[in-house]
């Protein structure tokens, strides 16, 4: 009886055995194994399958493993490695408690998705960070936290893998994946308020009022002002930092670098070579005007 | 404006019920049975109850405070209810250390290991009781003799429960004094003495909307029906009515049906599911009582059906509004 | 006594604060803000611009398509802005701002108090007039009435049910309307009957309003209306459309996407019936409504006949101002109303009351673990399992939620009301419903695209 069952089981197992490319297992081992979905697939296994099956893998990219991981897998599979610039999640809201006064108290379930579906939030700003941490829940890497003092989510750029889970989780669309510069340098408009300047000002002292001064000063055409809010294209921005000094509300945030001195002619403290050139070039453009 | 606006989504009103108030109602509902027991067995009843309640509360507190380092939630009174129910399942003359072991098993093993109130798959008090029944069978099944508290009303009974007496053949069900079972003057665990007192407690819980009728009615109804059919197949006669009545009133039937099986956490969520669960308990109890090794099967039946509860919850859904069997 | 078949709860109705306050006319506001989207469906399209002079009752925004409603000026004066303004929840919404100058009405509106009973118009003409007047459901859902009256092909209306249930605690605006404007209401019902071509009209009223039931019955008897008043057992959410149909006729509307018309029923709110009367017989568009201002600590609770667009703060001031300390001001009743951030936001067509909570009532009860008591399952009028839906939503298991029939949910709040552990069941269920409905719509759109 037992032997018979064993024989039957053996044949059934043989019959239903799934033929699989052994390379999928290997590729899966090379991937980070975070199963975060940042690549657009359900998990690392699905990504590995796609990498093995497709001839052209230029559209596939694992943001967690980054270029190095992709190079390794591509070399193993004998394919051309996809290239992508590293990016980092950036929270574009500067409405800290001191600058954005609370006008009411939210007593419902502390989830951004629920609060945002119902009303504007605890401040008069309808666009700012709610601070209940849906992004924190979405992040698998512990890279994002809500600072209890400011009430705003903050990203640790060293831990961030740019998987994009927080971008999807934020109901206010505040988080953006922006180009990652060395040493975590960054310049961005830390506000997404589409309100008119006066309304924004009333709600938050750190908001972008859409005055457009930054756009005028930018030599690279990286800044656009639309719907009452400025936006810096991280692909075009060269980190010249001129806009930072122009902004009347301090909505443009500079990270990882010293600001330009107020006098435009004095050279910047210790800028990297590429930035110095571009900054100088830009200054000369300005002088010509 | 000086007002601070509080914002939340609807509803903005809440029922006065809370977990604590529901548990308080259960405790109140257990009081009549406790009183009867105290009258019959004397002060030792209160002593056993106090030890059970205190040790349950203490075990829960110590585990929450030092083992999982959380905030103790004694305020919801669920540990008190577990302690009371555990005590109700013990003989009045049980040594104190057995009670403490029962409390540790009930709270520590059956409840806190699964995550505390709301997460335990089995009724904690019953797990404690069954553990003790298997570990200390002698102490758990020898009941003190009933002392005539009010002079001469009650005859002194032997230490065997009516169920055990019937099982061993020492007594036939037609001999059993049904009035005495109803009133509570038979040997047994502390809480199972008086069917009347338990029924009063049950009615109180129904009135306070703590429980619905489904589980108690299903358990008792199925037990009676089962006993009736068995009696019918055995030839009927006087047993036809005596057998069902005896089984409803004797042993832990009332306590189990009204207080144990209706435990929120371990019973199904839908009315239909509750009926299935209740009938399951009733039938299993009767099978154990009539043909099993133990004279009483209520505890085992409830624990078995507790195990089935998740399955019932998965497959038995409430009636969907708009889907009627008699369609126009 | 009839009621609906599944679930329901019994919150204390708290109507005593305002139910004996007669309807009073609120003084005309100096400035009004009229949101373009104050009904279900597409927002109306503004027909006026800054600087335009308007008369009371003049069309200022036109329905955008069929599923939309006209909007009329509630006062006469000058349009000062057509711009985004924060609504009651602070969300930016397109509104027309009008500054009042006098009170000059459009000439065709009949403002006499005389009741005009005869209506010679046919069904299509009645519906057209209702559409022109911008009448929408005034119980809170603001479904355009002309859409409801336009019976889809293949369906036949058998009953007209008038919703006089007002199952929301605190609110009394429908109650007062039934009491004080009974004859206009009944005339409106007859007009609606004619529009639908039905024989039977039933007014469902919960029996905590015996005076309203008696008043309607008296008028029906004296003035010979062919309308029946059905007293109903008090139970929330009886005013839910599906619950009311089941309570009155015993017929259950099948699960979505079926509509009430599939069981032959059309439901209109009691105040809507009065608005229909005014629209058809008096040419008066929907520019004012009765708003209950109530609350345990509100000094002077009122039932106010208010022009649309009046700031809610004006109504609150009329009621003696807000109580001290922390408050929760709710647009609507306590079970389904929406808490407000901005009390300067305007009264809209769906605003049946302003409920003010103070003291211990402003915050939710503390939350503890679910004890699986099954009270939410017992309370759910749609036969759902809220505890399960809450867990699935917390884990973002949207597909499983759809299997558990989340689209059935009517967001009545019974589950959360009854939960002894104080769990915010509806918060999660609502999130799940929104997400799942989005998935269903996306799927339908994809299927439609694939067909092409």
């Amino acid at each position: 009886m037992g032997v018979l069952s064993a024989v039957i089981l053996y044949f059934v197992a043989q019959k239903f055995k799934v033929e699989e490319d052994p390379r999928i297992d290997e590729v899966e081992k090379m991937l980070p194994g975070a199963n975060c979905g940042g690549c657009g697939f359900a998990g690392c296994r699905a990504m590995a399958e796609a990498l093995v099956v497709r001839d052209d893998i230029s559209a596939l990219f694992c943001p967690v493993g980054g270029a190095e991981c992709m190079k390794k897998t591509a070399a193993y599979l004998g394919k051309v490695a996809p290239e992508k610039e590293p990016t980092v999640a950036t929270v574009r809201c500067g409405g800290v408690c001191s600058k954005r006064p609370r006008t009411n108290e939210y007593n419902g379930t502390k989830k951004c998705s629920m609060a945002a579906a119902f009303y504007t939030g605890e401040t008069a700003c309808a666009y700012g960070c709610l601070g209940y941490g849906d992004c924190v829940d979405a992040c698998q890497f512990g890279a994002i936290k809500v600072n209890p003092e400011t009430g705003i989510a903050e990203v640790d750029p060293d831990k961030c893998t740019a998987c994009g889970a927080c971008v999807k989780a934020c109901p206010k669309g505040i988080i953006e994946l922006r180009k990652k510069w060395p040493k975590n340098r960054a310049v961005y408009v830390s506000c997404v308020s589409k309100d008119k300047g006066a309304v924004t000002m009333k709600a938050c002292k750190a908001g972008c009022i859409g005055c457009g001064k930054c756009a005028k000063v930018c030599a690279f055409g990286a800044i656009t002002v639309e719907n009452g809010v400025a936006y810096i294209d991280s692909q075009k921005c060269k980190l010249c930092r001129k806009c930072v000094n122009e902004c009347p509300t301090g909505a443009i945030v500079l990270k990882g670098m010293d600001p330009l001195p107020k006098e435009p002619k004095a050279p910047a403290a210790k800028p990297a070579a590429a930035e110095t050139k571009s900054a100088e070039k830009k200054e000369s453009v300005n002088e010509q005007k | 404006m000086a007002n601070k606006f509080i914002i939340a989504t609807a509803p903005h009103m809440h029922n006065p019920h809370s977990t604590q108030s529901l548990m308080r109602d259960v405790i109140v509902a257990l009081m009549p049975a406790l009183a009867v027991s105290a009258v019959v067995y004397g002060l030792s009843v209160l002593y056993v109850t106090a030890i059970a309640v205190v040790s349950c509360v203490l075990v829960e507190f110590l585990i929450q405070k030092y083992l999982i380092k959380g905030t103790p939630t004694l305020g919801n009174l669920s540990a008190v209810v577990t302690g009371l129910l555990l005590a109700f399942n013990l003989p009045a003359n049980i040594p104190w250390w057995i009670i403490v072991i029962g409390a540790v098993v009930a709270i520590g093993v059956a409840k806190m290991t699964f995550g505390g109130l709301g997460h335990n798959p089995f009724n904690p008090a019953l797990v404690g009781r069954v553990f003790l029944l298997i570990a200390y069978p002698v102490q758990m099944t020898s009941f003190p003799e009933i002392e005539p508290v009010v002079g001469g009303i009650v005859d002194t009974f032997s230490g065997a429960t009516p169920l055990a007496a019937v099982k061993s053949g020492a007594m036939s069900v037609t001999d059993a004094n049904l009035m005495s079972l109803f009133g509570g003057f038979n040997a047994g665990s502390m809480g199972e003495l008086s069917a009347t007192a338990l029924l009063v407690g049950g009615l109180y819980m129904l009135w306070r909307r703590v429980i619905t009728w489904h589980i108690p009615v299903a358990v008792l109804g199925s037990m009676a029906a089962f006993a009736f059919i068995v009696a019918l197949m055995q030839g009927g006669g006087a047993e036809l009515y005596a057998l069902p009545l005896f089984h409803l009133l004797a042993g832990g039937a009332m306590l189990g049906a009204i207080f144990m099986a209706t435990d929120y956490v371990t019973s199904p969520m839908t009315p239909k599911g509750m009926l299935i669960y209740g009938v399951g308990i009733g039938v299993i109890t009767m099978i154990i009582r009539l043909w099993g090794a133990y004279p009483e099967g209520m505890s085992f039946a409830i624990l078995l059906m507790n195990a089935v509860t998740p399955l019932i919850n998965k497959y038995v859904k409430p009636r969907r509004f708009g889907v009627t069997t008699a369609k126009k | 006594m009839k009621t609906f078949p599944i679930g329901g709860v019994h919150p204390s109705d708290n109507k005593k604060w305002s139910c004996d306050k007669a309807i009073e006319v609120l003084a005309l506001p100096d400035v009004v803000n009229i949101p373009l989207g104050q009904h279900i469906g597409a927002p109306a399209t503004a027909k006026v611009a800054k600087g335009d002079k308007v008369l009371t009752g003049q069309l200022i925004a036109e329905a955008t398509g069929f599923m939309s409603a006209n909007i009329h000026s509630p006062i006469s004066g000058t349009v000062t802005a057509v711009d985004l303004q924060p609504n009651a929840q602070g969300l930016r919404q397109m509104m027309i701002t009008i500054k009042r100058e006098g009170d000059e009405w459009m000439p065709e509106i009949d403002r006499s108090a005389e009741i005009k009973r005869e209506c010679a118009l046919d069904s299509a003409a009645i519906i057209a007039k209702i559409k022109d007047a911008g009448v929408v459901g005034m119980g809170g859902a603001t479904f355009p009435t002309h859409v409801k009256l336009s019976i889809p092909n293949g369906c036949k209306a058998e009953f007209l049910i008038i919703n006089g249930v007002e199952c929301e605690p605190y609110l009394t605006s429908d109650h007062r309307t039934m009491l004080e404007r009974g004859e206009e209401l009944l005339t409106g019902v007859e007009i609606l009957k004619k529009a639908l071509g039905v024989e039977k009209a039933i007014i469902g009223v919960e029996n905590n309003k015996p005076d309203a039931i008696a008043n309607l019955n008296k008028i029906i008897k004296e003035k010979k209306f062919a309308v029946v008043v059905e007293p109903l057992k008090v139970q929330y959410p009886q005013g839910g459309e599906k619950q009311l149909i089941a309570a009155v006729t015993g017929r259950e509307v099948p699960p979505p996407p079926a509509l009430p018309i599939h069981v032959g029923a059309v439901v209109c709110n009691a105040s809507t019936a009065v608005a229909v009367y005014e629209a058809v017989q008096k040419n008066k568009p929907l520019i004012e409504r009765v708003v209950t201002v109530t609350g345990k600590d509100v000094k002077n609770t009122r039932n106010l006949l208010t022009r649309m667009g009046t700031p809610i703060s004006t109504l609150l001031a009329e009621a003696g101002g807000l109580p001290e300390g922390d408050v929760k001001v709710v647009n609507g009743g306590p079970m389904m109303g929406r808490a407000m951030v901005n009390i300067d936001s305007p009264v809209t067509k769906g605003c049946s009351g302003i409920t003010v909570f103070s003291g211990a009532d402003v915050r939710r009860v503390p939350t503890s673990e679910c004890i699986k008591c099954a009270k939410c399952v017992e309370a759910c009028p749609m036969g759902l399992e809220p505890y399960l839906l809450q867990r699935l939503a917390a884990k973002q298991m949207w597909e499983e939620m759809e299997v558990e029939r989340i689209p059935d949910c009517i967001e009545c709040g019974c589950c959360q009301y009854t939960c002894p552990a104080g769990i915010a069941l509806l918060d999660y269920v609502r999130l799940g419903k929104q997400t799942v409905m989005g998935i269903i719509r996306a799927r339908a759109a994809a299927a439609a695209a694939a067909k092409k």
Side-chain angles (χ1 to χ4, degrees), chain C residues 211-225:
Chain C
D211 48 350
I213 297 171
N215 179 54
L216 291 175
N217 276 329
K218 189 173 137 244
I219 299 172
I220 288 170
K221 212 169 157 199
E222 278 172 9
K223 306 271 168 85
K224 298 200 171 42
F225 283 98

Side-chain angles (χ1 to χ4, degrees), chain A:
Chain A
M1 186 69 187
V3 174
L4 186 70
S5 311
V7 170
I8 292 171
L9 270 176
Y10 174 77
F11 280 110
V12 171
Q14 283 297 313
K15 192 169 162 107
F16 288 99
K17 200 172 163 188
V18 181
E19 290 296 334
E20 220 171 31
D21 193 328
R23 290 183 300 168
I24 294 176
D25 282 334
E26 287 303 312
V27 173
E28 194 187 353
K29 275 180 206 154
M30 291 177 194
L31 294 172
N35 289 316
C36 64
C39 52
F41 290 95
C44 293
R45 175 110 199 147
M47 172 71 163
E49 274 174 28
L51 282 168
V52 170
V53 173
R54 293 192 197 171
D55 291 330
D56 178 17
I57 57 168
S58 59
L60 304 175
F61 192 80
C62 169
V64 181
E68 208 160 295
C69 166
M70 294 323 291
K71 249 183 227 162
K72 212 169 118 197
T73 45
Y76 171 77
L77 293 168
K79 296 175 184 173
V80 184
E83 293 275 343
K84 214 174 196 180
E85 267 185 339
T87 55
V88 64
T90 311
V91 179
R92 295 176 295 160
C93 176
V96 296
C97 296
S98 55
K99 298 207 169 167
R100 191 168 55 135
R102 297 283 184 267
T103 56
N104 62 79
E105 179 192 321
Y106 180 57
N107 184 232
T109 306
K110 299 281 189 287
K111 293 262 183 213
C112 304
S113 48
M114 290 174 195
F118 180 66
Y119 84 125
T120 50
E122 288 184 305
T123 68
C125 174
Y127 303 91
C129 178
L130 295 166
Y132 306 128
D134 279 16
C135 50
V136 179
D137 295 342
C139 183
Q140 291 188 27
F141 307 98
I144 194 159
K145 289 210 167 53
V146 175
N147 184 336
E149 270 168 33
T150 59
I152 289 174
E154 290 171 4
V155 177
D156 180 345
D158 295 326
K159 285 189 187 165
C160 176
T161 61
C163 70
C166 54
V167 177
K168 272 182 222 147
C170 180
K172 297 278 191 185
I174 293 168
I175 308 178
E176 187 197 7
L177 291 178
R178 294 178 65 87
K179 181 177 172 184
K180 191 174 181 179
W181 292 87
K183 295 183 188 165
N184 296 329
R185 290 173 176 145
V187 174
Y188 60 95
V189 181
S190 191
C191 180
V192 292
S193 170
K194 292 189 182 115
D195 275 332
K196 292 198 177 71
V199 181
T200 307
M201 278 291 264
K202 213 174 153 193
C204 174
K205 293 193 198 85
C208 171
I209 54 172
C211 65
K213 280 185 176 171
C214 50
K216 272 182 210 138
V217 82
C218 183
F220 309 99
I223 306 184
T224 46
V225 180
E226 229 173 277
N227 294 324
V229 61
Y231 174 77
I232 304 179
D233 187 336
S234 62
Q235 296 301 323
K236 291 183 185 162
C237 173
K238 304 278 190 242
L239 296 186
C240 79
R241 294 162 289 163
K242 269 197 183 152
C243 52
V244 180
N245 286 352
E246 283 298 319
C247 182
T249 61
I252 301 182
V253 170
L254 176 65
K255 284 214 172 130
M257 300 168 82
D258 291 325
L260 281 182
K262 287 285 170 189
E263 287 299 315
K265 282 196 177 170
K270 41 169 182 178
E275 274 92 68
T276 323
K277 262 186 210 162
S278 57
E280 276 169 7
K281 206 163 112 196
K282 198 171 154 202
E283 273 160 26
S284 60
V285 169
N286 249 29
E287 275 165 13
Q288 280 166 11
K289 279 180 190 167

